[in-house]
Every structure is written in C-alpha cells, then in structure tokens.
Amino acid sequence: MSCDKNCDTCATSDNCNDKALNEQDKRIDTFLSKVKHKLMVMSGKGGVGKSTVAANLAIALSEKGYNVGLLDVDLHGPSIAGILGLTGIPLNADGDRLLPYQYNEHLEVMTVQGLLADPDEALIWRGPLKIGVIRQFLADTKWSELDYLIVDCPPGTGDEPLTVIQTIKDAQAVIVTTPQEVSLSDVRKSISFCQQTQLEILGIVENMSGFVCPDCGAVHNIFKSGGGAKLAAERGINFLGKLPIDPQVVDSEDIGNPTAAMSPKTKEALETVVNNIIEKVK
Ligand code: ADP
C-alpha cells in the first residue's frame, strides 16, 4: 500500500512505518540515556534460577536505595510477576504510556503478564511481534530515572536477548548457571553469543550451589559446586558469587514474596553477589 501524505498518524506505507520506528528509537534513546547501568540476566538453560536471581538482585539493589527497573522479556515464560506476587494485577496506563508496577519505593516492574487477561494464557508470537513488544516496553513505559535497568531474558540465544542487545547497546550480561556440566555447556554457548554480539559480560553467578542441611549443617553438593567459578576463571570472566540451594527460596517465591522466608545463608550469599555487581559496574 502506498501513501503520499507523510502524516503522523498512519503507518500504512514504508515511509510512515520508518517514521514511526524513528520516533520510537528516539523515545528509547531518551529513556536509556538516563539509565546508569543496564544488566541483562541470561542463562543457557531454563530452570537454573535466572528469574530468581533477576528478581532478588532487583529487590536487593532497590533496598539499598538505588532506583531499579525490572523488565521481564521472557515473553513465553514470564515468571517475574509470579515471583513478586503481581499475578492477576492488570497494568495501568497514563495516556499512551504504560505505568510499571511499583513493587516498592525504588523498584518498578514491567512484564507482559500484566497485559494478559488470563495469566495462564500462552503467547504464540513470532520474532517481529516479540521485537515490537520489547521495544514498546522500553519506549512507551513511564519509567523513572533509573540507576539500574535489569532485564530478565528467556534462556538461550533467541529473538528476545538479541533484541535487547541491539536496542540497549551498552548492556552488560549477568550469566546464571547451576554447577553441573549440562548447564555449564549451555553457558559456554551464552558466552559465545555475548562475544559474537559484542555484549560485555559483567560476570557469572552460580546458583543452586550446594545444599546446607538445616538439621545437621552438612553441605551436600547435589548439582556439584564450583563449576561456574572454574568456567569464569578459564574464560577470564568475573565470578560474581554463588547461591546455595534453599528450599525457602521456593516457598517464598510460591507466595510471591521472594525474601519472606529466605534463609540467612542465602541472604548473605546474595549480598555478596549484589556487592560484587555494584563494584564491577563502577
Ligand atoms: P529460570 O528463570 O532459570 O527458568 P527460576 O528462577 O524460575 O529459573 O527458578 C526455577 C525454580 O527453581 C523456581 O521454583 C525457583 O523457586 C527455584 N530456585 C531458584 N533458585 C533456587 C535456589 N537457590 N534454591 C532453591 N530453589 C531455587
């Protein structure tokens, strides 16, 4: 279809489409120019605790007084709303801009879950639609001026992380893994992905690293331990710390309040990871 009116309102021709995209680029740039640090939380595999790390990192930073935005771009399996107890609460808008959830005084959250009438609904979207939604979350959300934007990406190296990298040029990756080889081999792919796309890797977090028996205090390395640190050392990547297996993490997330019952040992380990991140982004 062609259009020679060059108006602001329609996007039916390539011209108008380009214009709309340019306008969106400008809004994205305006927002990102005011964000000090942009962290992409990635993993090679699903289920390793990437969203858990993203959510807890966001909460911990916000509790230190930093202004934090947490953006869930795991569009096919968003879990941030569930972890933070936001499921079923619809997102609001102010004019044509979406209002993020205000989780606490310093933490704003945006997730596709807030746009779904049924939280169990599956999104059957191909690349272009996913790219459009992620760009819209960046361009058309009424974010505050942020110290940290934390992006929870789906596992792997698909459209979503690629879109984030192409849109947020100065993002840094936080790669989450569990210690066993099956997860580490996928992390090597994540590292290769970061290198090929020139995404700086801030560091690796080893999650589910050892289980401290609450009865006898003995440490059981159910998924082994130390694999993440070893890989980081081999590749010359920062090791940001390790988090133990903590059944109370599951309980806390299941009630939508991640820090509610978290054990002191996990809190301490998380504090180390967060402090390392604050140190490294400087
Ligand atoms: P991912 O985002 O990598 O798919 P999630 O963060 O959704 O993984 O975590 C998957 C499951 O593992 C969740 O039930 C979560 O509560 C649990 N989990 C994550 N980290 C830990 C941990 N350190 N100890 C115990 N359970 C954990």
Side-chain angles (χ1 to χ4, degrees), residues 14 17 26 33 38 119-120 172 183 189 201 218 233 265-266 279:
D14 285 349
N17 223 343
K26 278 188 208 152
S33 67
K38 297 108 181 169
D120 293 330
Q172 295 173 294
S183 174
K189 292 195 181 81
I201 302 174
K265 275 215 174 328
T266 310
E279 187 57 38

Side-chain angles (χ1 to χ4, degrees), residues 215-238:
D215 300 322
C216 67
V219 178
H220 303 282
N221 291 320
I222 294 169
F223 298 128
K224 300 186 175 173
S225 179
K230 191 165 164 256
L231 178 64
E234 273 165 22
R235 300 295 176 101
I237 295 169
N238 295 317

Side-chain angles (χ1 to χ4, degrees), residues 43 45-53 74 79 83 152 155 207-209 243-251 253-254 266:
S43 67
K45 251 193 147 25
V48 299
K50 167 189 54 62
S51 299
T52 298
V53 169
D74 192 344
S79 43
I83 292 175
D152 183 24
N207 189 31
M208 305 196 199
S209 180
L243 304 172
I245 299 174
D246 178 359
Q248 286 164 280
V249 166
V250 183
D251 292 343
E253 287 184 3
D254 281 355
T266 310

